[in-house]
Amino acid sequence: MSTTLGPPTDNRPDQRFHAAEADCQWVGARWFTYPGSARRGGLVTVPGIETEALRPHAEDAFAEELRALAAADDRPRPERWRMSPWAVATYLLGGTLSDGTVITPKYVGPRRIVEVAVTTLATDRALLLLGVPGTAKTWVSEHLAAAVSGDSTLLVQGTAGTPEEAIRYGWNYARLLAHGPSREALVPSPVMRAMAEGRTARVEELTRVPADVQDTLITILSEKTLPIPELGQEVQAVRGFNLIATANDRDRGVNELSSALRRRFNTVVLPLPATAAAEVDIVARRVDQIGRSLDLPAGPEGLDEIRRVVTVFRELRDGVTADGRTKLKSPSGTLSTAEAISVVTGGLALAAHFGDGVLRAGDVAAGILGAVVRDPAADLLVWQEYLEAVVRERDGWKDFYRACREVSV
C-alpha cells in the first residue's frame, strides 16, 4: 500500500514531518521525499497506506489525453509550452486524433472563445476570464494551465484577506531572524515561481483581492519583473510565463480592477450555455465524471431529471418560461450551471444511499429549493409562484410538483 501526500500547508522550506513511519522533508520548492517513495502523476506515493486524491489535478486526471496530444502534435509550440496552441484548444474542446484517440471536451461553448484565450497566453498579455458564477472560469483556467505548462497548481486564491506576499513572496522567519535577508530565507509565491520557471500562474477571484494587493501585479505584467528590494535583486520572467486570472461580473467582490491593471489583461467573457440542450450536456458530463469519482450509480433514467433541473434554472434565470408565454420573477441567486451540477450530484447521492439508485424528482427537489431560495422572504415567494403557475400545469411534471411542494412546506 502507499499514501499520496502533498506539500506542507504553509509552504515553508526545510520543514520536517513524520508520516507512515517515514521521515519526510520539503525539498526544493515543491515536493516531499521519503525512503522508498516514488513520484506518480505529480504527487509522491509512500509505501504504507493506499489513498487516492478525491479530486486529482487536471494534469493528473487527463494525463493520458495530454500525452496522446503531445505525441501527435506536430505544430509549432511557443517556448516552454507542452503543446501547440492548436493542441491546447483541442484538449479543451475535444476531438479525435489521427491515431483514433478520443479527447473528451472539457469546455462546451463557442470555439472562438477558447481560441482567443489560448492565443492570448501565447502573447505577452495576461488572460482575464470574466463571467457570472458557474460559467466554468476556474475549470477553464485549470485546464489551460495544465495543457500549456503541465502544472495547474501555481495558484493564488483571491479573498478579501489575500496578502501581498501571496502574489510576490514571503519569508521563512526562522532563517530571516537567524541569518538576515537572503535568497535561502525567501519563500516564493506561485506567481514568482511561474516567472522563474516559465510556467502559467493562476489567480482566482481577482476582484476579491484588496486593491493595493491587486496592483502588485502591474509591474509583473507590464515589466515582466518582480523586484526584491530587501536583497537589491529582481526576478525576471523567462519565456513561457503568463498569468490567468478569473473574476466574477455578477458579484463584484470587494474591489473593482483599476484601469491600469485591467489594461494589462486581455478579457475573455465566458457566457452561460446558449441553449438548454447544451446546458443539459454540460451538466450530464460533469455529473457523470463526479459520480464515477464518488462511485455513485449512473442510470439513463437520470437524464430526465437533469433536463427538469436545467429547465427550472433557465426559466427562473431568464424570467420567462421556455415557450416564452409566461413572464416570471427571478430569484436573487444566480442559478448557474455549476449549481445545477451540484443539485444533480446531491440527488444521485440520495438515490444511491437512500433510494433504489435511480434519480427521481424527490431526490433533486430539496437541492433545487436550496439553490433557488437564498432570501427566505422574497425568494420563497418567487419559488411558490413558479410552482403553482408553471410546474403544476406542465404535462408530465406532476411527480416533480408534488416532490417540490413537500420540501417547500
Side-chain angles (χ1 to χ4, degrees):
M1 294 191 301
S2 63
T3 188
T4 300
L5 298 175
T9 55
D10 58 2
N11 292 328
R12 295 186 207 163
D14 296 330
Q15 277 190 312
R16 301 187 70 80
F17 296 84
H18 191 76
E21 299 181 352
D23 195 29
C24 320
Q25 186 175 6
W26 178 237
V27 294
R30 189 170 184 191
W31 304 111
F32 282 121
T33 56
Y34 309 89
S37 66
R39 174 82 174 267
R40 183 183 68 186
L43 296 170
V44 174
T45 60
V46 181
I49 306 174
E50 186 78 32
T51 62
E52 289 185 12
L54 180 61
R55 192 220 186 257
H57 298 302
E59 59 270 25
D60 301 325
F62 297 93
E64 293 301 325
E65 292 187 14
L66 289 168
R67 277 194 288 270
L69 265 168
D73 184 18
D74 58 358
R75 304 195 182 201
R77 308 181 185 186
E79 190 166 350
R80 292 189 176 84
W81 279 40
R82 294 297 182 92
M83 57 186 70
S84 68
W86 170 85
V88 174
T90 301
Y91 169 72
L92 263 78
L93 295 168
T96 302
L97 303 182
S98 57
D99 63 359
T101 301
V102 175
I103 306 300
T104 58
K106 317 303 179 300
Y107 175 73
V108 179
R111 182 177 186 86
R112 180 56 64 176
I113 286 178
V114 173
E115 291 175 343
V116 171
V118 174
T119 303
T120 297
L121 294 177
T123 69
D124 64 346
R125 299 273 290 179
L127 174 64
L128 176 63
L129 298 176
L130 189 66
V132 299
T135 48
K137 299 182 297 295
T138 297
W139 181 253
V140 170
S141 74
E142 178 184 0
H143 283 282
L144 281 172
V148 170
S149 298
D151 185 357
S152 64
T153 65
L154 298 176
L155 171 67
V156 176
Q157 178 60 58
T159 69
T162 299
E164 186 176 302
E165 291 79 4
I167 294 176
R168 300 179 72 235
Y169 52 85
W171 297 97
N172 179 330
Y173 288 103
R175 286 198 171 191
L176 184 66
L177 293 173
H179 306 292
S182 66
R183 288 301 287 261
E184 290 72 24
L186 186 144
V187 180
S189 71
V191 176
M192 187 178 189
R193 285 178 49 204
M195 294 175 69
E197 299 170 10
R199 296 179 181 270
T200 303
R202 300 165 54 209
V203 180
E204 291 294 316
E205 299 290 354
L206 182 57
T207 50
R208 292 189 177 276
V209 177
D212 58 333
V213 179
Q214 288 180 11
D215 287 342
T216 60
L217 285 171
I218 292 178
T219 301
I220 294 172
L221 298 181
S222 60
E223 305 297 330
K224 302 297 186 287
T225 297
L226 177 55
I228 310 175
E230 297 91 339
L231 303 179
Q233 300 176 10
E234 64 180 17
V235 173
Q236 290 187 312
V238 300
R239 292 177 66 90
F241 164 72
N242 214 324
L243 185 138
I244 306 172
T246 65
N248 185 341
D249 68 356
R250 169 68 72 87
D251 177 6
R252 297 287 182 175
V254 178
N255 294 287
E256 288 294 319
L257 300 184
S258 66
S259 59
L261 181 56
R262 189 176 284 270
R263 287 198 304 271
R264 271 67 181 182
F265 286 98
N266 187 25
T267 301
V268 172
V269 179
L270 297 184
L272 289 164
T275 65
E279 191 161 2
V280 168
D281 182 46
I282 294 169
V283 173
R285 286 177 185 275
R286 285 293 295 136
V287 167
D288 179 62
Q289 291 172 348
I290 296 170
R292 280 188 280 110
S293 71
L294 299 176
D295 296 327
L296 297 177
E301 299 87 350
L303 193 59
D304 291 335
E305 297 308 324
I306 292 176
R307 290 195 184 99
R308 283 177 170 175
V309 172
V310 168
T311 298
V312 170
F313 275 35
R314 290 182 69 88
E315 289 182 336
L316 287 173
R317 196 166 64 210
D318 296 340
V320 63
T321 54
D323 58 13
R325 295 180 180 179
T326 306
K327 295 288 185 181
L328 303 170
K329 295 177 182 177
S330 294
S332 59
T334 57
L335 298 182
S336 66
T337 307
E339 290 173 296
I341 293 168
S342 177
V343 167
V344 176
T345 303
L348 274 177
L350 276 174
H353 299 300
F354 299 100
D356 58 3
V358 177
L359 187 65
R360 305 184 190 278
D363 300 317
V364 298
I368 291 178
L369 177 67
V372 174
V373 181
R374 299 297 176 85
D375 182 334
D379 291 345
L380 185 58
L381 181 61
V382 169
W383 175 236
Q384 290 173 340
E385 288 181 358
Y386 177 73
L387 283 179
E388 300 301 325
V390 178
V391 176
R392 184 178 183 180
E393 305 301 325
R394 187 165 279 167
D395 290 339
W397 282 47
K398 295 299 182 185
D399 59 331
F400 186 81
Y401 172 75
R402 288 193 296 269
C404 291
R405 285 290 300 170
E406 286 179 6
V407 299
S408 299
V409 174

